[in-house]
Amino acid sequence: MSPEPSAVEGRIVASGLTKVFGEVKAVDDLSFTVEPGSVTGFLGPNGAGKTTTLRMILGLATPTSGTGTISGVAYAHLPVPGRTVGAVLEATSFHPGRSARNHLRVFCAAAGLPDKRADEVLEWVGLTQAARYAVHGFSLGMRQRLALATALLGNPRVLLLDEPANGLDPEGIAWLRGLLRHFADVDGRTVLISSHVLSEVEQTVDRVVIIARGRFIYEGKLADLEGASGGVVVRTPTPDQFATAVASLNARITPRADGSLAVVGATPEAVGRAAWEAHVELHELRAGSSSLEETFLRLTAEPAAPPGPTP
Ligand SMILES: Nc1ncnc2c1ncn2[C@@H]1O[C@H](COP(=O)(O)OP(=O)(O)O)[C@@H](O)[C@H]1O
Ligand SMILES: [Mg+2]
């Protein structure tokens, strides 16, 4: 018998996750999968429910209903959680008077790791020079690096980072990108990073899970989102014939609000030729103008107010 699909080593599965705080449904029946060997962006506007979801997956908050698993089991049931999962949550606090190195050594002691591990991870995150200094003098970017160092102590195969790009300068973001890509591409680890700004992680992630108002919006390859590869906008009176005509291009066709079609994964030249060869009538054919960020904003926008009575 093959193992449960959720039991794949390093796979994160959210299944019907729901969290209610009083009147607020912070997370609403959320299901998604995060695969090892990829960097997945967990995206949504502020208040969408990202941190609450991560806290449930990490066993720090109890779901109202649903489950979150890592390698097929709840966090609390992982044999050695600290060695399996490293996490950085928002607003991580440090003892202000403690040096970066001593901060890490406290964790080393708790996790049964040798002290020299603290220096190794400090080097990874570029804090070797600052290791002896008290954390209260650290910039937000340096705190992010120290939090990441803490998460890396146990050499985890799953890394969960909540808004890690906050406070990092462009150089810091580029550095983080290299580190996370290495984890996923070379080591085959699972990396999930949340952000409320798609452009911040656009060049780092290959997959995205998008949520808004606690609900699922989109899961898939970033490259399949309209705007990622430019895309093509088409208007035709015969959409079914059009779909058949371009089938061999393996492009993704989605209807747009104005009745036109968005074709993602093909050039305007290829789409135009395929339509012409199949004698499909087109009323419009142009390169898509929406950027990835525009698509993200459109997908996560507040629903329009219901139309009022017509005068
Ligand atoms: N401990 C809590 N008590 C009450 N409401 C909360 C609590 N944590 C989060 N919320 C609410 O849940 C919603 C989702 O918050 P959060 O998960 O922090 O979103 P995000 O991380 O995407 O910005 C927000 O409306 C927030 O105010
Ligand atoms: Mg958050």
Side-chain angles (χ1 to χ4, degrees), residues 115-166:
D115 274 357
K116 70 168 166 38
R117 181 73 185 148
D119 294 315
E120 276 170 24
V121 293
L122 281 168
E123 193 176 329
W124 281 10
V125 302
L127 284 180
T128 301
Q129 303 299 322
R132 287 183 297 111
Y133 299 132
V135 175
H136 67 73
F138 278 22
S139 66
L140 181 56
M142 287 166 85
R143 282 163 198 263
Q144 290 279 26
R145 287 174 190 249
L146 180 56
L148 185 59
T150 315
L152 294 175
L153 274 178
N155 199 23
R157 65 159 304 147
V158 176
L159 206 51
L160 300 184
L161 308 177
D162 197 11
E163 307 264 0
N166 263 356

mmCIF file of all heavy atoms in Angstrom, residues 115-166:
data_model
loop_
_atom_site.group_PDB
_atom_site.id
_atom_site.type_symbol
_atom_site.label_atom_id
_atom_site.label_comp_id
_atom_site.label_asym_id
_atom_site.label_seq_id
_atom_site.Cartn_x
_atom_site.Cartn_y
_atom_site.Cartn_z
ATOM 1 N N ASP A 115 27.809 24.095 21.343
ATOM 2 C CA ASP A 115 27.933 25.552 21.249
ATOM 3 C C ASP A 115 28.438 26.021 19.894
ATOM 4 O O ASP A 115 28.060 27.093 19.409
ATOM 5 C CB ASP A 115 28.902 26.067 22.330
ATOM 6 C CG ASP A 115 28.195 26.318 23.652
ATOM 7 O OD1 ASP A 115 26.955 26.138 23.703
ATOM 8 O OD2 ASP A 115 28.879 26.689 24.621
ATOM 9 N N LYS A 116 29.317 25.246 19.261
ATOM 10 C CA LYS A 116 29.919 25.705 18.002
ATOM 11 C C LYS A 116 28.878 25.835 16.893
ATOM 12 O O LYS A 116 29.078 26.556 15.926
ATOM 13 C CB LYS A 116 31.075 24.811 17.568
ATOM 14 C CG LYS A 116 30.700 23.419 17.088
ATOM 15 C CD LYS A 116 31.936 22.791 16.433
ATOM 16 C CE LYS A 116 31.856 21.300 16.186
ATOM 17 N NZ LYS A 116 30.613 20.724 15.759
ATOM 18 N N ARG A 117 27.737 25.175 17.091
ATOM 19 C CA ARG A 117 26.654 25.305 16.122
ATOM 20 C C ARG A 117 26.186 26.769 16.051
ATOM 21 O O ARG A 117 25.797 27.255 14.996
ATOM 22 C CB ARG A 117 25.502 24.379 16.535
ATOM 23 C CG ARG A 117 24.320 24.398 15.614
ATOM 24 C CD ARG A 117 24.605 23.694 14.309
ATOM 25 N NE ARG A 117 23.470 23.847 13.395
ATOM 26 C CZ ARG A 117 23.574 23.908 12.077
ATOM 27 N NH1 ARG A 117 24.755 23.798 11.507
ATOM 28 N NH2 ARG A 117 22.527 24.066 11.326
ATOM 29 N N ALA A 118 26.228 27.479 17.182
ATOM 30 C CA ALA A 118 25.818 28.882 17.213
ATOM 31 C C ALA A 118 26.678 29.702 16.251
ATOM 32 O O ALA A 118 26.164 30.518 15.478
ATOM 33 C CB ALA A 118 25.918 29.440 18.628
ATOM 34 N N ASP A 119 27.990 29.451 16.267
ATOM 35 C CA ASP A 119 28.881 30.215 15.387
ATOM 36 C C ASP A 119 28.679 29.856 13.924
ATOM 37 O O ASP A 119 28.786 30.707 13.046
ATOM 38 C CB ASP A 119 30.338 29.994 15.804
ATOM 39 C CG ASP A 119 30.597 30.579 17.189
ATOM 40 O OD1 ASP A 119 30.144 31.715 17.430
ATOM 41 O OD2 ASP A 119 31.204 29.886 18.027
ATOM 42 N N GLU A 120 28.371 28.580 13.668
ATOM 43 C CA GLU A 120 28.106 28.166 12.284
ATOM 44 C C GLU A 120 26.924 28.937 11.703
ATOM 45 O O GLU A 120 27.019 29.502 10.610
ATOM 46 C CB GLU A 120 27.772 26.669 12.227
ATOM 47 C CG GLU A 120 28.978 25.766 12.183
ATOM 48 C CD GLU A 120 28.593 24.297 12.367
ATOM 49 O OE1 GLU A 120 27.420 23.929 12.079
ATOM 50 O OE2 GLU A 120 29.451 23.540 12.821
ATOM 51 N N VAL A 121 25.806 28.953 12.446
ATOM 52 C CA VAL A 121 24.627 29.613 11.881
ATOM 53 C C VAL A 121 24.810 31.129 11.827
ATOM 54 O O VAL A 121 24.300 31.782 10.913
ATOM 55 C CB VAL A 121 23.308 29.239 12.604
ATOM 56 C CG1 VAL A 121 22.959 27.777 12.377
ATOM 57 C CG2 VAL A 121 23.352 29.568 14.070
ATOM 58 N N LEU A 122 25.574 31.683 12.772
ATOM 59 C CA LEU A 122 25.840 33.131 12.706
ATOM 60 C C LEU A 122 26.591 33.468 11.426
ATOM 61 O O LEU A 122 26.349 34.503 10.798
ATOM 62 C CB LEU A 122 26.651 33.581 13.928
ATOM 63 C CG LEU A 122 25.834 33.752 15.210
ATOM 64 C CD1 LEU A 122 26.756 33.918 16.411
ATOM 65 C CD2 LEU A 122 24.887 34.945 15.095
ATOM 66 N N GLU A 123 27.493 32.570 11.019
ATOM 67 C CA GLU A 123 28.224 32.814 9.788
ATOM 68 C C GLU A 123 27.286 32.725 8.576
ATOM 69 O O GLU A 123 27.345 33.557 7.679
ATOM 70 C CB GLU A 123 29.374 31.811 9.654
ATOM 71 C CG GLU A 123 30.356 32.219 8.568
ATOM 72 C CD GLU A 123 31.555 31.291 8.494
ATOM 73 O OE1 GLU A 123 31.957 30.745 9.539
ATOM 74 O OE2 GLU A 123 32.057 31.121 7.380
ATOM 75 N N TRP A 124 26.393 31.728 8.568
ATOM 76 C CA TRP A 124 25.428 31.579 7.475
ATOM 77 C C TRP A 124 24.626 32.850 7.257
ATOM 78 O O TRP A 124 24.317 33.214 6.138
ATOM 79 C CB TRP A 124 24.443 30.461 7.790
ATOM 80 C CG TRP A 124 24.954 29.087 7.553
ATOM 81 C CD1 TRP A 124 26.240 28.729 7.273
ATOM 82 C CD2 TRP A 124 24.196 27.890 7.592
ATOM 83 N NE1 TRP A 124 26.325 27.378 7.147
ATOM 84 C CE2 TRP A 124 25.087 26.831 7.330
ATOM 85 C CE3 TRP A 124 22.855 27.599 7.817
ATOM 86 C CZ2 TRP A 124 24.671 25.506 7.297
ATOM 87 C CZ3 TRP A 124 22.443 26.284 7.786
ATOM 88 C CH2 TRP A 124 23.343 25.252 7.524
ATOM 89 N N VAL A 125 24.226 33.485 8.364
ATOM 90 C CA VAL A 125 23.340 34.639 8.219
ATOM 91 C C VAL A 125 24.114 35.966 8.203
ATOM 92 O O VAL A 125 23.523 37.037 8.224
ATOM 93 C CB VAL A 125 22.244 34.686 9.321
ATOM 94 C CG1 VAL A 125 21.415 33.412 9.309
ATOM 95 C CG2 VAL A 125 22.860 34.917 10.689
ATOM 96 N N GLY A 126 25.432 35.871 8.165
ATOM 97 C CA GLY A 126 26.248 37.074 8.024
ATOM 98 C C GLY A 126 26.343 37.910 9.285
ATOM 99 O O GLY A 126 26.463 39.139 9.206
ATOM 100 N N LEU A 127 26.266 37.275 10.460
ATOM 101 C CA LEU A 127 26.327 38.034 11.708
ATOM 102 C C LEU A 127 27.596 37.750 12.517
ATOM 103 O O LEU A 127 27.676 38.103 13.699
ATOM 104 C CB LEU A 127 25.100 37.739 12.580
ATOM 105 C CG LEU A 127 23.774 38.396 12.189
ATOM 106 C CD1 LEU A 127 22.673 37.993 13.170
ATOM 107 C CD2 LEU A 127 23.895 39.919 12.134
ATOM 108 N N THR A 128 28.593 37.123 11.892
ATOM 109 C CA THR A 128 29.811 36.771 12.632
ATOM 110 C C THR A 128 30.429 37.985 13.307
ATOM 111 O O THR A 128 30.805 37.936 14.477
ATOM 112 C CB THR A 128 30.824 36.105 11.687
ATOM 113 O OG1 THR A 128 30.213 34.933 11.139
ATOM 114 C CG2 THR A 128 32.096 35.714 12.422
ATOM 115 N N GLN A 129 30.487 39.098 12.565
ATOM 116 C CA GLN A 129 31.109 40.306 13.111
ATOM 117 C C GLN A 129 30.331 40.861 14.306
ATOM 118 O O GLN A 129 30.905 41.513 15.168
ATOM 119 C CB GLN A 129 31.186 41.416 12.036
ATOM 120 C CG GLN A 129 31.925 41.021 10.764
ATOM 121 C CD GLN A 129 33.373 40.643 11.046
ATOM 122 O OE1 GLN A 129 34.024 41.250 11.889
ATOM 123 N NE2 GLN A 129 33.882 39.621 10.358
ATOM 124 N N ALA A 130 29.028 40.625 14.325
ATOM 125 C CA ALA A 130 28.171 41.198 15.365
ATOM 126 C C ALA A 130 27.876 40.214 16.489
ATOM 127 O O ALA A 130 27.119 40.537 17.412
ATOM 128 C CB ALA A 130 26.854 41.666 14.744
ATOM 129 N N ALA A 131 28.504 39.042 16.448
ATOM 130 C CA ALA A 131 28.137 37.956 17.375
ATOM 131 C C ALA A 131 28.269 38.353 18.843
ATOM 132 O O ALA A 131 27.508 37.894 19.682
ATOM 133 C CB ALA A 131 28.997 36.720 17.097
ATOM 134 N N ARG A 132 29.247 39.236 19.172
ATOM 135 C CA ARG A 132 29.516 39.555 20.569
ATOM 136 C C ARG A 132 28.653 40.702 21.082
ATOM 137 O O ARG A 132 28.662 41.008 22.261
ATOM 138 C CB ARG A 132 31.004 39.918 20.738
ATOM 139 C CG ARG A 132 31.936 38.712 20.640
ATOM 140 C CD ARG A 132 33.387 39.093 20.880
ATOM 141 N NE ARG A 132 33.891 40.037 19.866
ATOM 142 C CZ ARG A 132 34.193 41.298 20.115
ATOM 143 N NH1 ARG A 132 34.073 41.790 21.322
ATOM 144 N NH2 ARG A 132 34.635 42.080 19.138
ATOM 145 N N TYR A 133 27.940 41.373 20.157
ATOM 146 C CA TYR A 133 27.203 42.569 20.573
ATOM 147 C C TYR A 133 25.817 42.244 21.109
ATOM 148 O O TYR A 133 25.170 41.301 20.678
ATOM 149 C CB TYR A 133 27.088 43.551 19.394
ATOM 150 C CG TYR A 133 28.430 44.014 18.891
ATOM 151 C CD1 TYR A 133 28.727 44.006 17.544
ATOM 152 C CD2 TYR A 133 29.410 44.426 19.793
ATOM 153 C CE1 TYR A 133 29.970 44.415 17.078
ATOM 154 C CE2 TYR A 133 30.654 44.829 19.345
ATOM 155 C CZ TYR A 133 30.935 44.824 17.989
ATOM 156 O OH TYR A 133 32.155 45.216 17.552
ATOM 157 N N ALA A 134 25.375 43.094 22.038
ATOM 158 C CA ALA A 134 24.040 42.916 22.616
ATOM 159 C C ALA A 134 22.978 43.168 21.547
ATOM 160 O O ALA A 134 23.123 44.048 20.696
ATOM 161 C CB ALA A 134 23.846 43.870 23.785
ATOM 162 N N VAL A 135 21.931 42.392 21.624
ATOM 163 C CA VAL A 135 20.902 42.426 20.581
ATOM 164 C C VAL A 135 20.148 43.755 20.561
ATOM 165 O O VAL A 135 19.627 44.158 19.525
ATOM 166 C CB VAL A 135 19.937 41.232 20.781
ATOM 167 C CG1 VAL A 135 18.785 41.291 19.807
ATOM 168 C CG2 VAL A 135 20.690 39.922 20.636
ATOM 169 N N HIS A 136 20.136 44.488 21.715
ATOM 170 C CA HIS A 136 19.328 45.725 21.728
ATOM 171 C C HIS A 136 19.842 46.761 20.730
ATOM 172 O O HIS A 136 19.104 47.655 20.336
ATOM 173 C CB HIS A 136 19.191 46.306 23.140
ATOM 174 C CG HIS A 136 20.466 46.821 23.740
ATOM 175 N ND1 HIS A 136 21.057 47.982 23.331
ATOM 176 C CD2 HIS A 136 21.247 46.309 24.717
ATOM 177 C CE1 HIS A 136 22.157 48.170 24.043
ATOM 178 N NE2 HIS A 136 22.301 47.169 24.878
ATOM 179 N N GLY A 137 21.104 46.633 20.303
ATOM 180 C CA GLY A 137 21.620 47.566 19.307
ATOM 181 C C GLY A 137 21.373 47.128 17.875
ATOM 182 O O GLY A 137 21.783 47.811 16.940
ATOM 183 N N PHE A 138 20.706 46.013 17.691
ATOM 184 C CA PHE A 138 20.519 45.469 16.338
ATOM 185 C C PHE A 138 19.421 46.202 15.563
ATOM 186 O O PHE A 138 18.383 46.558 16.128
ATOM 187 C CB PHE A 138 20.138 43.980 16.415
ATOM 188 C CG PHE A 138 21.301 43.049 16.597
ATOM 189 C CD1 PHE A 138 22.501 43.500 17.125
ATOM 190 C CD2 PHE A 138 21.202 41.718 16.236
ATOM 191 C CE1 PHE A 138 23.580 42.633 17.292
ATOM 192 C CE2 PHE A 138 22.265 40.849 16.401
ATOM 193 C CZ PHE A 138 23.455 41.303 16.930
ATOM 194 N N SER A 139 19.649 46.394 14.286
ATOM 195 C CA SER A 139 18.603 46.922 13.401
ATOM 196 C C SER A 139 17.564 45.822 13.171
ATOM 197 O O SER A 139 17.810 44.642 13.482
ATOM 198 C CB SER A 139 19.206 47.323 12.059
ATOM 199 O OG SER A 139 19.674 46.170 11.385
ATOM 200 N N LEU A 140 16.410 46.208 12.597
ATOM 201 C CA LEU A 140 15.365 45.229 12.295
ATOM 202 C C LEU A 140 15.913 44.136 11.375
ATOM 203 O O LEU A 140 15.652 42.949 11.549
ATOM 204 C CB LEU A 140 14.158 45.925 11.652
ATOM 205 C CG LEU A 140 12.964 45.032 11.306
ATOM 206 C CD1 LEU A 140 12.456 44.275 12.525
ATOM 207 C CD2 LEU A 140 11.835 45.880 10.706
ATOM 208 N N GLY A 141 16.726 44.555 10.393
ATOM 209 C CA GLY A 141 17.316 43.583 9.459
ATOM 210 C C GLY A 141 18.224 42.589 10.178
ATOM 211 O O GLY A 141 18.194 41.389 9.892
ATOM 212 N N MET A 142 19.006 43.092 11.137
ATOM 213 C CA MET A 142 19.895 42.192 11.888
ATOM 214 C C MET A 142 19.081 41.252 12.768
ATOM 215 O O MET A 142 19.423 40.077 12.937
ATOM 216 C CB MET A 142 20.874 43.009 12.746
ATOM 217 C CG MET A 142 21.957 43.701 11.922
ATOM 218 S SD MET A 142 22.824 44.954 12.903
ATOM 219 C CE MET A 142 24.069 43.943 13.721
ATOM 220 N N ARG A 143 17.984 41.766 13.333
ATOM 221 C CA ARG A 143 17.114 40.893 14.134
ATOM 222 C C ARG A 143 16.517 39.791 13.272
ATOM 223 O O ARG A 143 16.388 38.646 13.710
ATOM 224 C CB ARG A 143 15.979 41.701 14.774
ATOM 225 C CG ARG A 143 16.438 42.475 15.978
ATOM 226 C CD ARG A 143 15.433 43.564 16.330
ATOM 227 N NE ARG A 143 16.066 44.528 17.190
ATOM 228 C CZ ARG A 143 15.953 44.517 18.522
ATOM 229 N NH1 ARG A 143 15.189 43.632 19.110
ATOM 230 N NH2 ARG A 143 16.591 45.397 19.239
ATOM 231 N N GLN A 144 16.137 40.151 12.027
ATOM 232 C CA GLN A 144 15.606 39.133 11.114
ATOM 233 C C GLN A 144 16.656 38.056 10.868
ATOM 234 O O GLN A 144 16.362 36.865 10.829
ATOM 235 C CB GLN A 144 15.192 39.759 9.768
ATOM 236 C CG GLN A 144 13.958 40.643 9.841
ATOM 237 C CD GLN A 144 12.662 39.849 9.830
ATOM 238 O OE1 GLN A 144 12.620 38.701 10.232
ATOM 239 N NE2 GLN A 144 11.598 40.484 9.366
ATOM 240 N N ARG A 145 17.894 38.485 10.685
ATOM 241 C CA ARG A 145 18.961 37.516 10.444
ATOM 242 C C ARG A 145 19.188 36.626 11.664
ATOM 243 O O ARG A 145 19.403 35.418 11.529
ATOM 244 C CB ARG A 145 20.266 38.239 10.081
ATOM 245 C CG ARG A 145 20.253 38.833 8.671
ATOM 246 C CD ARG A 145 21.513 39.652 8.423
ATOM 247 N NE ARG A 145 21.420 40.418 7.191
ATOM 248 C CZ ARG A 145 22.145 40.159 6.095
ATOM 249 N NH1 ARG A 145 23.021 39.188 6.091
ATOM 250 N NH2 ARG A 145 21.993 40.895 5.012
ATOM 251 N N LEU A 146 19.112 37.232 12.854
ATOM 252 C CA LEU A 146 19.312 36.443 14.079
ATOM 253 C C LEU A 146 18.157 35.459 14.273
ATOM 254 O O LEU A 146 18.372 34.311 14.689
ATOM 255 C CB LEU A 146 19.444 37.377 15.288
ATOM 256 C CG LEU A 146 19.657 36.690 16.641
ATOM 257 C CD1 LEU A 146 20.882 35.781 16.622
ATOM 258 C CD2 LEU A 146 19.793 37.732 17.754
ATOM 259 N N ALA A 147 16.940 35.902 13.980
ATOM 260 C CA ALA A 147 15.789 35.001 14.093
ATOM 261 C C ALA A 147 15.958 33.823 13.133
ATOM 262 O O ALA A 147 15.680 32.667 13.469
ATOM 263 C CB ALA A 147 14.498 35.760 13.790
ATOM 264 N N LEU A 148 16.443 34.129 11.925
ATOM 265 C CA LEU A 148 16.667 33.065 10.945
ATOM 266 C C LEU A 148 17.754 32.108 11.434
ATOM 267 O O LEU A 148 17.627 30.883 11.315
ATOM 268 C CB LEU A 148 17.062 33.687 9.603
ATOM 269 C CG LEU A 148 17.233 32.738 8.429
ATOM 270 C CD1 LEU A 148 15.946 31.969 8.163
ATOM 271 C CD2 LEU A 148 17.647 33.510 7.181
ATOM 272 N N ALA A 149 18.803 32.667 12.035
ATOM 273 C CA ALA A 149 19.876 31.824 12.585
ATOM 274 C C ALA A 149 19.311 30.868 13.629
ATOM 275 O O ALA A 149 19.660 29.683 13.668
ATOM 276 C CB ALA A 149 20.971 32.701 13.194
ATOM 277 N N THR A 150 18.410 31.383 14.475
ATOM 278 C CA THR A 150 17.790 30.546 15.505
ATOM 279 C C THR A 150 17.012 29.397 14.864
ATOM 280 O O THR A 150 17.078 28.253 15.303
ATOM 281 C CB THR A 150 16.833 31.397 16.373
ATOM 282 O OG1 THR A 150 17.491 32.617 16.715
ATOM 283 C CG2 THR A 150 16.449 30.660 17.639
ATOM 284 N N ALA A 151 16.282 29.716 13.784
ATOM 285 C CA ALA A 151 15.486 28.696 13.106
ATOM 286 C C ALA A 151 16.368 27.632 12.454
ATOM 287 O O ALA A 151 15.962 26.487 12.305
ATOM 288 C CB ALA A 151 14.588 29.349 12.053
ATOM 289 N N LEU A 152 17.591 28.029 12.073
ATOM 290 C CA LEU A 152 18.468 27.106 11.348
ATOM 291 C C LEU A 152 19.292 26.215 12.276
ATOM 292 O O LEU A 152 19.934 25.265 11.810
ATOM 293 C CB LEU A 152 19.426 27.898 10.442
ATOM 294 C CG LEU A 152 18.769 28.643 9.291
ATOM 295 C CD1 LEU A 152 19.801 29.480 8.561
ATOM 296 C CD2 LEU A 152 18.109 27.667 8.331
ATOM 297 N N LEU A 153 19.282 26.513 13.579
ATOM 298 C CA LEU A 153 20.145 25.791 14.529
ATOM 299 C C LEU A 153 20.042 24.272 14.399
ATOM 300 O O LEU A 153 21.042 23.581 14.348
ATOM 301 C CB LEU A 153 19.792 26.187 15.972
ATOM 302 C CG LEU A 153 20.482 27.427 16.533
ATOM 303 C CD1 LEU A 153 19.962 27.673 17.938
ATOM 304 C CD2 LEU A 153 21.993 27.254 16.541
ATOM 305 N N GLY A 154 18.822 23.762 14.359
ATOM 306 C CA GLY A 154 18.612 22.312 14.353
ATOM 307 C C GLY A 154 18.741 21.682 12.978
ATOM 308 O O GLY A 154 18.376 20.529 12.795
ATOM 309 N N ASN A 155 19.256 22.440 11.992
ATOM 310 C CA ASN A 155 19.397 21.953 10.620
ATOM 311 C C ASN A 155 18.087 21.357 10.105
ATOM 312 O O ASN A 155 18.044 20.218 9.634
ATOM 313 C CB ASN A 155 20.515 20.901 10.569
ATOM 314 C CG ASN A 155 21.017 20.705 9.152
ATOM 315 O OD1 ASN A 155 20.878 21.589 8.308
ATOM 316 N ND2 ASN A 155 21.581 19.550 8.882
ATOM 317 N N PRO A 156 16.998 22.129 10.184
ATOM 318 C CA PRO A 156 15.671 21.585 9.886
ATOM 319 C C PRO A 156 15.468 21.332 8.392
ATOM 320 O O PRO A 156 16.065 22.024 7.571
ATOM 321 C CB PRO A 156 14.734 22.703 10.345
ATOM 322 C CG PRO A 156 15.531 23.947 10.130
ATOM 323 C CD PRO A 156 16.945 23.579 10.457
ATOM 324 N N ARG A 157 14.613 20.367 8.090
ATOM 325 C CA ARG A 157 14.336 20.139 6.677
ATOM 326 C C ARG A 157 13.099 20.914 6.209
ATOM 327 O O ARG A 157 12.783 20.954 5.023
ATOM 328 C CB ARG A 157 14.242 18.661 6.329
ATOM 329 C CG ARG A 157 13.132 17.862 6.933
ATOM 330 C CD ARG A 157 12.942 16.639 6.064
ATOM 331 N NE ARG A 157 12.691 17.060 4.695
ATOM 332 C CZ ARG A 157 13.068 16.418 3.617
ATOM 333 N NH1 ARG A 157 13.718 15.323 3.706
ATOM 334 N NH2 ARG A 157 12.772 16.876 2.407
ATOM 335 N N VAL A 158 12.425 21.536 7.144
ATOM 336 C CA VAL A 158 11.282 22.390 6.807
ATOM 337 C C VAL A 158 11.500 23.755 7.460
ATOM 338 O O VAL A 158 11.795 23.841 8.645
ATOM 339 C CB VAL A 158 9.960 21.783 7.327
ATOM 340 C CG1 VAL A 158 8.797 22.722 7.070
ATOM 341 C CG2 VAL A 158 9.699 20.431 6.693
ATOM 342 N N LEU A 159 11.366 24.808 6.645
ATOM 343 C CA LEU A 159 11.603 26.155 7.150
ATOM 344 C C LEU A 159 10.345 26.996 6.917
ATOM 345 O O LEU A 159 9.857 27.101 5.790
ATOM 346 C CB LEU A 159 12.782 26.748 6.374
ATOM 347 C CG LEU A 159 13.632 27.834 7.011
ATOM 348 C CD1 LEU A 159 14.100 27.432 8.400
ATOM 349 C CD2 LEU A 159 14.826 28.126 6.113
ATOM 350 N N LEU A 160 9.802 27.578 8.000
ATOM 351 C CA LEU A 160 8.624 28.443 7.893
ATOM 352 C C LEU A 160 9.025 29.844 8.329
ATOM 353 O O LEU A 160 9.434 30.041 9.471
ATOM 354 C CB LEU A 160 7.499 27.950 8.818
ATOM 355 C CG LEU A 160 6.941 26.545 8.614
ATOM 356 C CD1 LEU A 160 5.780 26.298 9.562
ATOM 357 C CD2 LEU A 160 6.472 26.369 7.186
ATOM 358 N N LEU A 161 8.906 30.803 7.422
ATOM 359 C CA LEU A 161 9.336 32.168 7.740
ATOM 360 C C LEU A 161 8.167 33.126 7.525
ATOM 361 O O LEU A 161 7.595 33.195 6.441
ATOM 362 C CB LEU A 161 10.500 32.575 6.829
ATOM 363 C CG LEU A 161 11.695 31.603 6.787
ATOM 364 C CD1 LEU A 161 12.731 32.093 5.788
ATOM 365 C CD2 LEU A 161 12.310 31.455 8.158
ATOM 366 N N ASP A 162 7.838 33.860 8.593
ATOM 367 C CA ASP A 162 6.702 34.784 8.522
ATOM 368 C C ASP A 162 7.222 36.188 8.229
ATOM 369 O O ASP A 162 7.896 36.779 9.067
ATOM 370 C CB ASP A 162 5.961 34.744 9.861
ATOM 371 C CG ASP A 162 4.559 35.326 9.774
ATOM 372 O OD1 ASP A 162 4.089 35.563 8.643
ATOM 373 O OD2 ASP A 162 3.938 35.533 10.833
ATOM 374 N N GLU A 163 6.931 36.695 7.061
ATOM 375 C CA GLU A 163 7.358 38.037 6.625
ATOM 376 C C GLU A 163 8.864 38.270 6.838
ATOM 377 O O GLU A 163 9.252 39.280 7.449
ATOM 378 C CB GLU A 163 6.550 39.127 7.353
ATOM 379 C CG GLU A 163 5.042 38.953 7.258
ATOM 380 C CD GLU A 163 4.396 39.764 6.139
ATOM 381 O OE1 GLU A 163 5.115 40.482 5.403
ATOM 382 O OE2 GLU A 163 3.161 39.666 5.987
ATOM 383 N N PRO A 164 9.709 37.379 6.340
ATOM 384 C CA PRO A 164 11.150 37.508 6.616
ATOM 385 C C PRO A 164 11.790 38.700 5.909
ATOM 386 O O PRO A 164 12.870 39.138 6.311
ATOM 387 C CB PRO A 164 11.743 36.200 6.074
ATOM 388 C CG PRO A 164 10.801 35.793 4.990
ATOM 389 C CD PRO A 164 9.444 36.246 5.438
ATOM 390 N N ALA A 165 11.161 39.213 4.869
ATOM 391 C CA ALA A 165 11.766 40.309 4.110
ATOM 392 C C ALA A 165 11.556 41.659 4.787
ATOM 393 O O ALA A 165 12.227 42.631 4.465
ATOM 394 C CB ALA A 165 11.212 40.335 2.684
ATOM 395 N N ASN A 166 10.626 41.718 5.774
ATOM 396 C CA ASN A 166 10.393 42.963 6.527
ATOM 397 C C ASN A 166 11.686 43.444 7.156
ATOM 398 O O ASN A 166 12.318 42.716 7.907
ATOM 399 C CB ASN A 166 9.394 42.710 7.663
ATOM 400 C CG ASN A 166 7.989 43.089 7.279
ATOM 401 O OD1 ASN A 166 7.761 43.618 6.193
ATOM 402 N ND2 ASN A 166 7.048 42.810 8.153
#
